[in-house]
Amino acid sequence: MTESPATKPADGDVCQRVKNGLNLEKNGVLKSLHRCHEQQPKHHCQPEEEEDFVPLYQDFENFYTRNLYMRIRDNWNRPICSVPGAKVDLMERTSRDYNWTFEYTGRVVLDVINLGSYNYLGFAENTGPCADSAAEITMKYGVGVASTRQEIGNLDRHEELEKLVAKFLGVESAMVFGMGFATNSMNIPALTGKGCLILSDELNHASLVLGARLSGSTIRVFKHNNMQSLEKLLRDAIVHGQPRTHRPWKKILIVVEGIYSMEGSIVRLPEVIDLKKRYRAYLYLDEAHSIGALGSRGRGVVDYFGLDPCDVDVLMGTFTKSFGAAGGYIAGKWELIEYLRSHSHSAVYATSMSPPVVEQIITSMKCIMGEDGTTIGCDRVRKLAENTVYFRRRLREMGFIIYGNEDSPVVPMMLYMPAKIGAFGREMLKRNIGVVVVGFPATPIIESRARFCISAAHTKEMLDRALSVISEVGDLLQLKYSRRRIQPSLSLPCDDIVFEDIDD
């Protein structure tokens, strides 16, 4: 039976209807965007008197910032009002304009289990020998120095700290700085320059990347922890030399980290040192996250692998994590440190480290070394290692995909989808667990993750409570991506189904 012309639309009519539908949809989208624009706070718009100016910044023209970051902005910059220990107190805040601005409600969320701070050994505390020593030094020296080390800001406590750091690391000399980020960004330019080659791991911290760029050196990036990639770059650098002229490089500096803060992976240091010796290159090791947190004696990744610290040309680390303080250090041969004292911008122009901060580092470091006459430091190093292994094992058994080395206290748990960043952070906080969620540009946009930092201050009850909540939220948001089943540990309550992460 043939369809009558009245019921069968012509091709031209179909095209016209599609066009009309598209126009209606377009108008609806435009109206929606117009309403969103009207709701946007006026203080984020360019003032009328500046309409003829080139915008000073264009962050809000960025697609990611406008369409994703602002929707989940409440997961960052949360103000705490307590010591960043195993538990913290959070100031509650709310937003009436879709996270453009925040208002404090006056309520404090108490006893939130802290899985975000870098308080690896639990020295970020307001009681105990470290706090008492810092308070005593504050009464004697004050809070600030108000001068650089080269002028009249060089205290006896600074020199004592530098000797202690050198002894702790097993090297000839050390130098301390007031800011960890500047320790990298201001000292690398003092070590390399034009005609030098820097070989940098692709996942190195922003401070290392900035320091390399400021140096004016040629920078080549090798794949993360990939020794074949590093050796290829070293071989090519030796064979071909500098571009155009093919002259030999003045020096080659390999830059790596001990623990990579977004991956939880530990550098393959023995192999890096082997390549460094074979090709006569220098090695710069950033131990910001590994110093105090790795090794049987808490001496970092060098101690973890049982290597000679003299095999590393430049040892760098920070006091902001395992020592519960601030600042950083450079350690190595005596000649290196003396050179930096007069050539490092951070040493020449920056204000000296605050006396109570210095005392916090000295006291905590002596505690780790056992020079305080107790075993508190050794116990904390051992406790951190136990907590790390336990926490990682339980996450894998529950079916989550986690990154990094088994002994790394930095534990990234994969969320993957950016939309789950905000949901995970909010749901965890509803259950009194504080976590750090990470997304673009710190990670690739489809590799969003939650990053847990384990501490020696965490008790087993705290970790079990946190793991129970993580499992509950993981089921809610469907985050248990692993597919391979494994048997649960006999020491743990049996689950119906347990999974292990896989490498896809």
Side-chain angles (χ1 to χ4, degrees), residues 96-118:
R96 301 176 185 271
D97 51 8
Y98 305 99
N99 291 339
W100 285 88
T101 60
F102 294 98
E103 298 175 357
Y104 295 108
T105 64
R107 176 174 173 266
V108 176
V109 184
L110 300 175
D111 295 330
V112 177
I113 296 178
N114 181 11
L115 293 179
S117 297
Y118 306 129

Side-chain angles (χ1 to χ4, degrees), residues 408-426:
S408 170
V410 179
V411 187
M413 189 187 83
M414 302 309 294
L415 307 177
Y416 291 110
M417 287 175 277
K420 294 188 178 182
I421 295 175
F424 185 78
R426 293 171 190 140

Side-chain angles (χ1 to χ4, degrees), residues 137-414:
I137 286 295
T138 302
M139 297 303 296
K140 180 178 180 180
Y141 289 90
V143 175
V145 181
S147 180
T148 66
R149 292 285 299 275
Q150 289 195 346
E151 294 170 353
I152 57 172
N154 187 30
L155 303 180
D156 57 342
R157 305 305 290 171
H158 290 136
E159 297 195 357
E160 180 182 345
L161 173 59
E162 290 177 342
K163 292 177 182 177
L164 185 64
V165 170
K167 180 181 178 181
F168 180 70
L169 298 173
V171 295
E172 295 179 7
S173 186
M175 185 177 183
V176 298
F177 304 88
M179 181 181 179
F181 190 97
T183 305
N184 278 330
S185 61
M186 294 290 99
N187 283 295
I188 292 178
L191 297 173
T192 64
K194 188 176 181 180
C196 299
L197 175 64
I198 293 178
L199 301 180
S200 176
D201 190 289
E202 66 178 346
L203 297 182
N204 274 343
H205 190 263
S207 59
L208 294 169
V209 175
L210 178 61
R213 290 175 177 173
L214 291 175
S215 70
S217 305
T218 300
I219 305 170
R220 291 176 184 167
V221 178
F222 61 92
K223 295 179 182 179
H224 175 56
N225 245 353
N226 189 313
M227 297 303 106
Q228 290 76 23
S229 176
L230 174 58
E231 184 170 15
K232 184 179 184 301
L233 290 180
L234 282 167
R235 188 186 300 114
D236 290 345
I238 299 298
V239 172
H240 300 294
Q242 300 184 40
R244 294 191 302 276
T245 64
H246 299 292
R247 292 176 180 173
W249 295 100
K250 293 180 180 178
K251 69 181 77 167
I252 300 175
L253 181 66
I254 303 171
V255 180
V256 294
E257 294 186 46
I259 293 179
Y260 291 85
S261 58
M262 289 300 168
E263 304 298 316
S265 53
I266 298 176
V267 65
R268 296 162 63 178
L269 190 59
E271 297 170 70
V272 175
I273 290 178
D274 181 62
L275 289 175
K276 165 246 182 191
K277 291 180 177 180
R278 189 186 311 167
Y279 291 95
R280 305 298 176 88
Y282 294 101
L283 177 58
Y284 186 106
L285 176 62
D286 179 348
E287 291 218 70
H289 286 270
S290 55
I291 191 68
L294 282 182
S296 59
R297 302 176 302 156
R299 262 65 163 186
V301 70
V302 177
D303 180 34
Y304 177 77
F305 286 108
L307 302 172
D308 185 353
C310 296
D311 288 334
V312 181
D313 301 287
V314 185
L315 285 163
M316 178 271 171
T318 62
F319 303 118
T320 55
K321 300 169 179 67
S322 293
F323 302 95
Y329 66 83
I330 294 285
K333 294 185 180 299
W334 182 86
E335 295 82 5
L336 167 70
I337 303 305
E338 291 304 307
Y339 171 82
L340 288 177
R341 291 191 192 280
S342 57
H343 289 80
S344 168
H345 287 285
S346 188
V348 176
Y349 299 109
T351 303
S352 301
M353 187 182 289
S354 174
V357 173
V358 173
E359 194 62 25
Q360 165 76 19
I361 302 166
I362 290 175
T363 309
S364 58
M365 190 171 289
K366 285 183 176 180
C367 185
I368 298 172
M369 298 170 70
E371 292 189 1
D372 61 339
T374 70
T375 61
I376 294 176
C378 294
D379 294 340
R380 293 193 183 195
V381 172
R382 185 177 63 254
K383 179 65 173 176
L384 174 63
E386 293 173 357
N387 284 350
T388 297
V389 172
Y390 175 72
F391 191 80
R392 281 181 168 273
R393 186 189 68 205
R394 291 292 291 124
L395 284 179
R396 284 197 311 275
E397 290 175 349
M398 288 189 292
F400 295 102
I401 293 179
I402 59 175
Y403 280 2
N405 187 280
E406 287 296 309
D407 298 316
S408 170
V410 179
V411 187
M413 189 187 83
M414 302 309 294

Side-chain angles (χ1 to χ4, degrees), residues 451-472:
R451 185 186 64 181
F452 307 115
C453 290
I454 307 304
S455 171
H458 289 137
T459 64
K460 189 174 184 296
E461 290 72 22
M462 290 180 190
L463 294 181
D464 286 337
R465 166 63 182 160
L467 287 164
S468 174
V469 170
I470 293 170
S471 181
E472 178 186 344

